[in-house]
Amino acid sequence: MTHTLLAFLGACALIAASPGPSSVLIIRHSLRSRRAGFAAVLGNESGVFVWGLAAAFGLTGLLAASQLAYDIMRIVGAVVLIGFGVQAIRAARRDGLTGFTAEGAAGEEESGGGWRAYRAALTLNLANPKAAVFAMSFLPQFVPSGSPQLPTMVVLAAIWATFEIGFYGLYVWFVGRMRTVLGRAKVRRRLEQTSGGVMVALGIRMAVES
């Protein structure tokens, strides 16, 4: 079991280190504040745990077995991703017109920015059919022979989500440490534009691929 757990954590590290829409969204919210960044991390990992539970109970198999359901969810996910990308690009333009200050970011957080970041990350993860299918194929590989599959997969899903909270928390911490540089209006606008463009491109890719 120890060797299995170490192998599982290694696989989790490789998955978390792979660039994807969730990491882009987490970094984008971390540019606003640490609170928003950590909220986005928690939202994303809530989605990871939900898909892990769905895989444990065999629900993601229904999605994988139905091409129509998968395609519908894929299009919805693409729309969500493109929408977030457009929001980032518009935010960069708005900040360019009004200027960005730390006080402005703090005011945004007081008005519910943390909850918005959590909800956005959760929505993005749950709207991604690849995350569902991946959880279904990933978790069973690490269930030791002779172990009860359902409770073991639930535990593994919890470990997976907890591990990624720590991993992506380092992203938030790093962005916070670099706030004096990344918080400059010009740099932040460029990062917003870049993250928005990446999310739009990923959304288009998700929409066109089968």
Side-chain angles (χ1 to χ4, degrees), residues 5 29 33 78 87 90 92 95 126 128 135 146 155 157 167 183 198:
L5 183 59
H29 281 291
S33 72
Q87 285 180 9
R90 292 179 61 187
D95 290 340
L126 294 182
N128 185 358
V155 171
F167 189 96
V198 169

Side-chain angles (χ1 to χ4, degrees), residues 90-172:
R90 292 179 61 187
R93 183 177 300 175
R94 183 173 62 249
D95 290 340
L97 294 175
T98 62
F100 172 79
T101 64
E103 292 78 6
E108 178 184 332
E109 290 310 300
E110 290 175 359
S111 64
W115 166 243
R116 286 198 299 271
Y118 176 90
R119 185 176 56 196
L122 176 62
T123 300
L124 180 61
N125 193 288
L126 294 182
N128 185 358
K130 289 185 175 181
V133 175
F134 180 79
M136 180 188 67
S137 61
F138 174 60
L139 292 177
Q141 299 180 48
F142 295 94
V143 177
S145 178
S147 299
Q149 182 163 338
L150 176 59
T152 303
M153 287 181 64
V154 171
V155 171
L156 289 175
I159 293 173
W160 184 11
T162 303
F163 177 87
E164 288 197 350
I165 287 174
F167 189 96
Y168 287 126
L170 294 176
Y171 284 31
V172 180

Side-chain angles (χ1 to χ4, degrees), residues 60-86:
T60 52
L62 300 176
L63 179 63
S66 173
Q67 186 63 42
L68 177 60
Y70 182 88
D71 286 341
I72 291 174
M73 192 170 177
R74 177 173 55 83
I75 296 302
V76 171
V79 171
V80 169
L81 193 51
I82 292 172
F84 285 144
V86 171

